Amino acid sequence: MITDRPRCRTRDMCIICDSVPGSIKTSEGMVCEGCMPRELLPRASVLRRRDITVFMKSHPGAPSCLGDGDIGRTEGTVSGDRSMAITLSDGIVLADELNAQIRTADSIDMVVSFILMSGLNLIIDSLREFTKRGKLRVITTAYMGTTEYEAVEQIVRLPNTELRMELDSERNRLHAKSFIFYRSGGHGTAYVGSANISRSALTSGEEWVVKVREEDVPLVIDDLRKGYEALWRSGHIKPISLSDRAEVESALEKRGRS
């Protein structure tokens, strides 16, 4: 940890270590070369302080001006540098986890039983920025008519995005919930558990979710990737475009009545 430099504060001081002037611009200020992981350099301009510190905590080998203890104190609402179970008692906000992962991912696969605007609004800004450069795939369902068409439309309108739906939930019951974030170099992360995309699930609801890091269990990430590909290609999952509005709304209404 750097201690021999003057700690006079200027607006260009690194927002991570606050010890040396920053030379790399981010959305929240300047970051020094010692605190900016090289993997994040291509998207530095859209990153926030939290995104960088989460990456550091998830990749202990990443160079930094901070010591391990300082990194651990930078953010209290996101998980640390290991695979782990996330429950309400941990004080970890799943929406914060997802936003941080979205901003540093190369590509993303999501599958949930339903999507509500209350939950999508918590991550949509990050998804808008991400889909300017990366590929997003989403699978959801008409189960119980819970998914909101407005949420479907918001996702379909994103660039570099594909959405598929299980419309006949009386015959096929898709209950999988997973958020898979792929990165080059074996740095992927997945969240698998009970959380759909709703405000309560992503903030204060009693959801149990397992965070899986590719560095810890690469075969598990590979299994999830294969499972997602199989589901994506399955015959009962329909690709959705804006022209499918009547069919989607009809399925949601029918499932809601049943």
Side-chain angles (χ1 to χ4, degrees):
M1 182 175 178
I2 296 175
T3 58
D4 58 347
R5 294 181 182 268
R7 296 189 58 84
C8 56
R9 179 65 179 168
T10 74
R11 65 178 181 177
D12 291 330
M13 197 68 78
C14 176
I15 61 173
I16 303 298
C17 67
D18 195 25
S19 298
V20 296
S23 59
I24 303 166
K25 185 177 181 180
T26 72
S27 67
E28 290 189 343
M30 304 301 290
V31 174
C32 70
E33 292 183 3
C35 287
M36 176 58 74
R38 64 181 182 275
E39 294 91 342
L40 302 185
L41 274 172
R43 64 205 68 154
S45 62
V46 301
L47 298 178
R48 296 186 301 179
R49 181 177 184 273
R50 175 186 296 163
D51 304 325
I52 299 169
T53 57
V54 169
F55 186 91
M56 287 178 177
K57 289 162 65 179
S58 299
H59 303 82
S64 171
C65 291
L66 295 176
D68 291 341
D70 296 306
I71 294 174
R73 289 194 296 270
T74 57
E75 179 56 62
T77 59
V78 292
S79 61
D81 59 354
R82 64 179 177 87
S83 299
M84 64 183 299
I86 298 173
T87 66
L88 188 61
S89 62
D90 297 316
I92 295 170
V93 179
L94 188 55
D96 290 342
E97 288 275 326
L98 298 182
N99 278 315
Q101 296 288 344
I102 290 167
R103 293 190 186 97
T104 60
D106 294 328
S107 62
I108 303 172
D109 288 338
M110 298 182 180
V111 53
V112 290
S113 294
F114 60 81
I115 306 174
L116 303 182
M117 282 304 302
S118 65
L120 184 61
N121 282 336
L122 298 174
I123 60 174
I124 191 63
D125 288 342
S126 297
L127 290 176
R128 288 193 181 107
E129 287 298 321
F130 166 78
T131 53
K132 293 177 182 178
R133 59 174 178 81
K135 176 70 174 180
L136 170 65
R137 298 191 298 180
V138 180
I139 299 174
T140 190
T141 82
Y143 179 60
M144 296 181 67
T146 305
T147 292
E148 295 174 343
Y149 179 77
E150 182 183 356
V152 172
E153 182 179 17
Q154 289 274 343
I155 293 172
V156 171
R157 288 187 181 277
L158 294 172
N160 298 314
T161 297
E162 292 183 72
L163 182 143
R164 299 188 177 187
M165 286 189 72
E166 177 189 71
L167 298 177
D168 188 0
S169 57
E170 291 180 349
R171 295 176 56 189
N172 306 292
R173 294 296 178 88
L174 172 59
H175 289 279
K177 292 105 178 169
S178 183
F179 305 84
I180 312 171
F181 303 93
Y182 302 109
R183 298 180 184 85
S184 60
H187 296 308
T189 309
Y191 295 78
V192 184
S194 63
N196 287 293
I197 299 179
S198 68
R199 174 173 290 277
S200 62
L202 300 187
T203 56
S204 59
E206 185 65 73
E207 307 288 349
W208 286 25
V209 177
V210 175
K211 174 184 176 181
V212 182
R213 298 194 324 151
E214 191 169 5
E215 292 102 319
D216 298 334
V217 281
L219 294 180
V220 173
I221 296 293
D222 193 48
D223 289 341
L224 289 170
R225 180 184 291 111
K226 291 176 181 176
Y228 195 94
E229 292 297 336
L231 183 59
W232 186 257
R233 295 191 302 268
S234 63
H236 63 278
I237 304 294
K238 175 183 170 60
I240 300 299
S241 68
L242 294 176
S243 63
D244 297 308
R245 176 169 185 166
E247 183 179 3
V248 172
E249 290 188 326
S250 176
L252 291 172
E253 183 180 358
K254 183 179 180 181
R255 299 290 90 77
R257 290 199 305 268
S258 61

